Every structure is written in structure tokens, then in C-alpha cells.
Amino acid sequence: METNNIELITKMVINAINKKEEKGNGFMVPIGVSARHIHLTQEHVEALFGSGYQLTKKKELMGGQFASNETVTIVGLKLRAIENVRILGPVRKASQVEVSATDAIKLGMKVPVRESGDVKGSAPIAIVGPKGAIYLKEGCIVAMRHIHMSPKDAQAAGVRDGDIVSVKADNERGTIFNHVKIRVDDSFTLEMHIDTDEANAAQIATGNTVTIIK
């Protein structure tokens, strides 16, 4: 291949990479602060609330999910408890409890940071409802920070499902969040989810925006 052709191809590749990087930089994303919550199987819903019980809807969330009216108490290994933890619906194939690092300290537990659904080897937790209680040998996690996107938003931001990016909160604290996972689905509304610890540390509230910087 001639030198001129090699130089031309190299220049085209570099330009393409630069365009992708520029596309990802400066893309603004609204924040949704996620408080502690629980996902349950139908079997566990009935164990906690009674045979045949169905979750009732309090508030619509993205992707067909909803905050239910039902709440429960979670109990750690040292019998330390947190009350009024809300259940999110609809029911899932596996039960999962999502808490903040501060919650984990209150429960007296070591809880790993995981992507939602990745509960293998995670912390055990007991859940107490009005009609019964269940014990999960694994299933309690601190949720990995992530951004929900539609395919159109992902294309505009120059990212793909599963990418790991950094984002900046350009406020008084000037916080940069690394290790933010991109999650893309047709049902998703553009929003970055962080827990209450992260939001308080960075002085961010639901509705504020952050910017993808990498």
C-alpha cells in the first residue's frame, strides 16, 4: 500500500475517533436519585403480604416499572433494621434489595457494589412484611451508578449499551463520577441513577443535570 494511502486512512481513523469522543463529551443527562428499595418475586410478595396478594401502584416509573404502595422492613445479620422500605413493581424473577453504603453501615453489613440483577455472592438480608418474613441468602447490593438511555439518546451521546463513562456535576462541589454504566433500551427514559449517599456528597437532587465527559 502506498505511503499516501496509509496516511490518508490513518487520518480518517483518527478523525472518526475524535468525532466519537467529541460526541460523548458534553452530553447532558438528568439525575434521578434512587432511595433504598426492593424488587420481589410474586412468591415472596405472597409470603410477605398473604396468598394471592398483588402489588398496588403508587407512582409510574420508567420502563414499565412503578413504585408500589407497599413497604416492608429489612433486617441485617446483627438484627439491625430499616423500616418502610418501598417495593418496586412489577414482580421479578429474583428478589433483590438495593441500599446505600450508609444503609449498609446501619444494618451492620458489608454490602457489595453491583449492577442491578447481579446478586450472586452478595449480602444476605431478611425482609419482614405484615403477613410473614423471608430470608435471602444473597440479594442485598449497593447499586452501581448507571445511565438509562433510549437507542436514540445513545446514538446522540456516542455511546453503546454496556459502555463505562465518566460524568461531571458542574456545581459548587464539582464532582466527577467514574465507572458509570450505560444501559440502553427502547423503554428507557434518559436519566442517570445515583443513590442518596452519592447525591448528598455531590449536592445533587433529582432533576439536576450532569454531563458525560468521557
Side-chain angles (χ1 to χ4, degrees), residues 167-194:
V167 304
K168 181 180 181 181
D170 193 13
N171 59 11
E172 185 179 10
R173 299 303 293 268
T175 306
I176 293 177
F177 293 100
N178 296 316
H179 309 300
V180 182
K181 188 161 189 177
I182 300 295
R183 298 173 60 183
V184 181
D185 190 89
D186 287 324
S187 66
F188 288 162
T189 301
L190 181 64
E191 193 169 66
M192 176 176 171
H193 286 175
I194 58 176

Side-chain angles (χ1 to χ4, degrees), residues 20-173:
K20 183 177 180 181
E21 289 178 349
E22 289 169 3
K23 208 171 187 183
N25 289 338
F27 189 83
M28 297 185 70
V29 181
I31 285 286
V33 180
S34 182
R36 66 181 78 101
H37 60 272
I38 298 178
H39 302 282
L40 293 173
T41 64
Q42 180 59 33
E43 177 186 359
H44 286 162
V45 169
E46 295 187 33
L48 296 169
F49 292 92
S51 179
Y53 193 90
Q54 300 290 320
L55 295 176
T56 59
K57 191 177 298 184
K58 177 181 176 70
K59 180 183 178 181
E60 291 278 357
L61 303 173
M62 75 168 66
Q65 294 191 86
F66 60 88
S68 75
N69 292 297
E70 289 75 22
T71 62
V72 292
T73 297
I74 57 175
V75 184
L77 294 176
K78 296 182 179 180
L79 299 183
R80 298 177 185 175
I82 298 177
E83 299 179 331
N84 300 317
V85 182
R86 193 163 304 282
I87 301 169
L88 300 190
V91 294
R92 291 193 174 186
K93 294 180 180 179
S95 294
Q96 173 180 298
V97 179
E98 296 183 31
V99 299
S100 69
T102 298
D103 291 335
I105 292 170
K106 184 174 182 179
L107 292 166
M109 297 167 50
K110 186 176 181 180
V111 180
V113 177
R114 296 283 185 84
E115 184 179 0
S116 180
D118 179 13
V119 299
K120 186 175 181 180
S122 59
I125 194 81
I127 306 172
V128 182
K131 298 290 186 180
I134 59 173
Y135 176 73
L136 303 179
K137 292 182 180 180
E138 55 186 17
C140 186
I141 65 170
V142 174
M144 179 182 183
R145 59 182 77 106
H146 57 277
I147 299 175
H148 289 284
M149 286 184 167
S150 68
K152 183 178 179 180
D153 288 325
Q155 183 177 15
V159 296
R160 297 181 180 180
D161 184 53
D163 282 356
I164 303 296
V165 300
S166 295
V167 304
K168 181 180 181 181
D170 193 13
N171 59 11
E172 185 179 10
R173 299 303 293 268

